[in-house]
C-alpha cells in the first residue's frame, strides 16, 4: 500500500470517527435509552451496509471493521470528552 492508499485509509477512518460523533450529537436531546443506543446502532448499521456494498472485494471486511472501530471511538469520545457547554442537560 503506497502513500495514496494510506491517505485514503486515514480519510476513511476520520469519516467514520466524524460519523460516530455526529450520531451522538443528533440524539443528545433524546431520552437516555435512545442517547445510549442510537449511535452504536447507527454505526453498526452503516458499517453493515458498507460491507454489503463492497462484498465481492477482499477489502469489505477490513473496511467494515475500520468503520465500526472509528465510528464507535467517535461516539465514545463525544460521550466522554464534551466541553461544559455541550453537555447533555438533564
Amino acid at each position: 500500500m503506497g502513500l495514496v492508499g494510506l491517505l485514503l485509509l486515514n480519510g476513511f477512518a476520520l469519516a467514520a470517527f466524524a460519523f460516530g460523533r455526529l450520531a451522538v450529537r443528533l440524539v443528545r436531546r433524546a431520552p437516555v435509552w435512545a442517547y445510549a443506543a442510537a449511535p452504536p446502532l447507527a454505526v453498526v448499521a452503516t458499517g453493515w451496509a458498507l460491507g454489503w456494498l463492497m462484498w465481492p472485494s477482499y477489502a469489505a471486511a477490513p473496511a467494515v471493521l475500520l468503520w465500526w472501530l472509528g465510528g464507535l471511538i467517535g461516539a465514545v469520545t463525544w460521550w466522554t470528552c464534551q466541553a461544559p457547554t455541550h453537555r447533555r442537560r438533564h
Side-chain angles (χ1 to χ4, degrees), residues 69-87:
L69 182 66
L72 295 175
I73 288 173
V76 168
T77 58
W78 188 259
W79 280 322
T80 58
C81 303
Q82 297 177 16
T85 57
H86 294 108
R87 292 218 171 122

Side-chain angles (χ1 to χ4, degrees), residues 9-84:
L9 196 63
N10 187 29
F12 185 74
L14 286 174
F17 182 81
F19 181 79
R21 288 177 59 98
L22 176 69
V24 174
R25 286 193 73 189
L26 290 176
V27 294
R28 71 175 181 253
R29 301 220 186 272
V32 175
W33 64 269
Y35 184 72
L41 289 175
V43 168
V44 168
T46 54
W48 189 272
L50 178 72
W52 185 79
L53 289 173
M54 295 178 61
W55 179 247
S57 170
Y58 287 115
V64 169
L65 293 175
L66 181 63
W67 184 265
W68 285 346
L69 182 66
L72 295 175
I73 288 173
V76 168
T77 58
W78 188 259
W79 280 322
T80 58
C81 303
Q82 297 177 16

